[in-house]
Amino acid sequence: MSNLRALYQEVILDHSKNPRNFRVPDPVDRFGHGINPLCGDKLTVYLHVVEGVIDDISFEGSGCAISTASASMMTQQLKGKKVEQANALFEQFHELLTSAVGEDTTDDELGKLSVFSGVREFPMRVKCATLAWHTLQSALSGEITAASTE
Ligand code: ZN
């Protein structure tokens, strides 16, 4: 468990300091805004979808280390994936964050995202970790309305 915690801190720190895909893609055909009022996190997720495949995905915004790291890792994980795969991954990720602490969370599909199981110990931060994914859902649905974790 202490190993996982160390990895969690290392990964969150790395991605929050150097967020990947932190840009506006060109071309972009969909985007969504997300806010987490509890923490003050704000994100915009941009998508370029070609025939049901996420050809490009990126984000911009400001927020805490967890929300930024989560968005950064989400974009890495989803680039080149089908939209259905992205939706399935979101469900698995959400399950991971809301399962009981101590429950086995080994999941090959989630890969590196598994480190976020550390967030379960801090229920207030679950919304930070899922904000990017809620924002992605909003972007995929094609609505240009704000997603909120509330
Ligand atoms: Zn936050």
Side-chain angles (χ1 to χ4, degrees):
M1 192 62 204
S2 59
N3 277 347
L4 182 66
R5 187 171 298 187
L7 180 68
Y8 164 73
Q9 284 171 350
E10 193 184 305
V11 168
I12 302 273
L13 211 65
D14 174 34
H15 278 267
S16 63
K17 277 188 176 168
N18 301 296
R20 318 302 198 270
N21 302 309
F22 192 84
R23 59 184 165 80
V24 181
D26 182 27
V28 57
D29 53 13
R30 293 175 222 205
F31 62 95
H33 296 297
I35 46 170
N36 174 16
L38 285 179
C39 182
D41 309 318
K42 289 186 187 128
L43 286 177
T44 304
V45 171
Y46 302 96
L47 286 171
H48 183 237
V49 179
V50 179
E51 290 171 6
V53 174
I54 298 172
D55 179 60
D56 201 2
I57 175 169
S58 62
F59 78 105
E60 280 189 320
S62 61
C64 66
I66 293 174
S67 66
T68 304
S70 176
S72 170
M73 291 177 73
M74 178 187 80
T75 58
Q76 276 196 316
Q77 201 88 0
L78 295 186
K79 195 168 174 177
K81 289 244 183 356
K82 288 183 183 158
V83 170
E84 304 96 85
Q85 289 177 302
N87 288 330
L89 210 56
F90 172 55
E91 271 173 40
Q92 286 173 313
F93 186 63
H94 198 262
E95 223 166 84
L96 169 78
L97 293 180
T98 51
S99 59
V101 174
E103 212 170 280
D104 183 22
T105 53
T106 312
D107 194 324
D108 293 342
E109 295 269 322
L110 284 172
K112 286 180 184 170
L113 295 177
S114 298
V115 298
F116 280 96
S117 63
V119 172
R120 291 181 303 175
E121 292 177 43
F122 313 97
M124 289 286 290
R125 312 316 292 272
V126 168
K127 288 185 174 180
C128 301
T130 54
L131 177 63
W133 293 82
H134 285 294
T135 308
L136 170 74
Q137 296 289 303
S138 157
L140 282 173
S141 71
E143 295 165 29
I144 307 175
T145 49
S148 175
T149 51
E150 285 304 284

